[in-house]
Amino acid sequence: MNLDPNNYRAALANTLKQDADAGHPEWLLPIRNEALKQFLKQGFPHNKLENWRYTNLAPMSERINASVAQPAAVSDAIVPVTDSDSLTLVFVNGMFSSQKSSRTGFPAKGIVSNMATQLDTDGAEDWLRNSGDSDLAQLNLAMTNDGAVVQIPDNIEIAQTIHIIFTNTAEANVFPRVIIRLGRNAKATVIEHHISNAACVSTAVTNISCGEGSHLTYQKLQEEHARSFHVAAQTIKLAKDSHCDIVNIDLGAAIARNDLRILLQGSGAEVGVSGLFLVDAERHADNHLHLEHQAANTRSRSHYAGVMANKGHGVFNGMIHVLQAAQKTDAALNNKNLLLTQGAEIDTKPELEIYADDVKCAHGSTTGQLDAASLFYLRTRGVPQQVARNMLVQAFAIEVVQQLANESLREYVQNSVEQQLNKLGAVIEN
Amino acid sequence: MLLEVKDLHASIGGKEILKGLSLTIKAGEVHAIMGPNGSGKSTLAQVLAGREGYEITAGSVSYNGVDLLDLEPEERAQAGLFLGFQYPVEIPGVNNVYLLKAALNARQKAAGQPEIDAVSFMRMVKEKAALMEMDQSFLSRSVNEGFSGGEKKRNEIFQMAVLEPTLAILDETDSGLDIDALKVVANGVNLQRRDDRSVLLITHYQRLLDYIEPDYVHVLANGKIIHSGDKSLALQLEAEGYDALMAKAAG
Ligand SMILES: Nc1ncnc2c1ncn2[C@@H]1O[C@H](COP(=O)(O)OP(=O)(O)O)[C@@H](O)[C@H]1O
Ligand SMILES: [Mg+2]
């Protein structure tokens, strides 16, 4: 792939200037330089790589240029409200907006905050070192301007939902970063929400660690503008007896890619993952899920639902990887897909790689169409065909949607799904 | 004339099932169609409701003066047609009440009427559920999911009671019901009877007609109505079986 390093160097120069202006600590500079070096060495991911077979990022690489950070046009930003009680952190075009964020209700200082203003605190380096090994994580590390940091101390439960919103108003390149650290027996609910009203390019990184006995509910909702790119690398590490419920929903962007890596590192750790993606001719979604059972008695349940319309192309790649030490692993992974029209496509590959001998692992995938008998039944009640179709797609998605943390978020997502379906409906032929 | 079926021929997969069926139903009448298994009763019901996949090779169906076969299934329903399925479909993830609300609102919209308000809708739905001796918990469950055979049939009649159709076609709503459930279902149907509403009961057994008195009884065999009469025909069928009638028709 054609990759002009000068573009990236110019972009980095921009970021470094901002660091200097903001008075960021000196340790940041070598980290950024090294990350860019690593990124340029490996290059932009391309179709010849097994991992990127079905997702072509060439148009995205061309759009990454020196115009990294855009001034925040705060007034134009869409700020979805899903729960009036939640603690919201809003980032407009990559920069924290205190104006759009919650003013009150925050727990003690530093527990929920934006990264850029906290870089001089102890441990801040760790937020920027630990970037996982996804292909674009290094690029994020080199360029990121700001992000959210959620650090819950031992034995603390945050009752309010923490709602992190990355909203983009301009054709910006953004590099959002979310850091979540749960101490022992801590408990929190975090929503990471990406939304835009202009064609942006978002390279997102989320790093999560769940301490011993902690409980995290983490839900990501991606509804970027229809001509956007959204490439996300999420890494979640679970210590002994910790528990994480994850939802990953992709409703937007021209090209969306999620690399979700879950490492069950301590015995007794448990994770539940629910995913939903909706694609059509203009929209492509690629979900890569990698579950690594590293310790004994760990448990995972994963369920992804894909809806493909028109000539849309969805990709699901799910891997359960059980290391030798992870005896008594109990893992199940399932992907089901709905093809709404002829010409719609899904490439699905659930995989197992097992090195322990005493485990319970199941994986599978199914692909089908809307059930004609159900559709007819609804229509005989007077429900118009398009509405009936939407009802059945919503019903298909409900297993994932009902995992969402609160009623208002569920309604919000249901409405978003419905809007998408109505848009699709106009072009769906029988 | 509410419904006028004339010389209807319908096939599926190249096989002719209805072979010249004629039937006339006036407003306010209850008709029963009886017939042996495989004679085409469900096919008639499905064709009238607009199921895709059937080829109508001859004949016509007029409903309230319009060509029924020209309408989409939802347009038929919005015009007051209802089909109680012999095998109601389970639809996980679609809420019973949500469906009814969508159905009623679609009808309102088709008639140029405003949407019904949520409070009076819920009150009405609860009343009708009580009438069908249905537990309120059924309302918020997915359509027919995990319902027993009898509960599904009851749910069909409940839906009918909410939608108040002009013509209800009930396909073997009585089969698989114990006597208590049968009475509840029959009561639901009887409450639906009005001068301006008609019912087409499809049944295999005479016993339903002990509870719902039809104005006319028809015998359907091999894709055709071979005999029509009043309710005494049902008793005669019960005593003599279909064979005698079919032999007579053939002879
Ligand atoms: N989809 C189908 N394809 C082919 N034959 C069918 C189909 N559905 C029904 N039939 C046939 O049509 C005939 C009438 O069926 P049906 O209308 O269900 O009868 P009834 O309801 O009177 O028992 C039967 O012989 C049945 O096997
Ligand atoms: Mg039948």
Side-chain angles (χ1 to χ4, degrees), chain A residues 371-387 391-392 394-396 398 418 430, chain B residues 46 50-52 72-74 77-78 82-83 85 89 91-94 98-99 103 106 143-144 156 159:
Chain A
D371 179 45
S374 302
L375 196 59
F376 177 60
Y377 187 90
L378 296 175
R379 294 175 75 193
T380 64
R381 271 46 184 155
V383 180
Q385 168 152 282
Q386 183 53 41
V387 180
M391 279 170 119
L392 292 176
Q394 295 264 17
F396 176 82
I398 196 88
E418 196 175 327
N430 278 318
Chain B
Q46 301 273 324
R51 177 97 202 214
E52 279 168 21
E72 295 294 325
E74 57 267 40
Q78 290 158 9
F82 178 86
L83 170 61
F85 282 67
V89 185
I91 315 184
V94 175
Y98 181 74
L99 165 59
V143 177
N144 295 321
E156 295 291 287
Q159 292 184 7

Side-chain angles (χ1 to χ4, degrees), chain A residues 12-13 15-17 19-20 24-36 128 141-142:
Chain A
L12 181 65
T15 304
L16 295 181
K17 183 175 179 305
D19 284 348
H24 284 160
E26 278 173 11
W27 52 258
L28 197 50
L29 182 69
I31 290 179
R32 294 218 196 262
N33 275 323
E34 178 61 22
L36 186 67
L128 286 155
L141 182 52

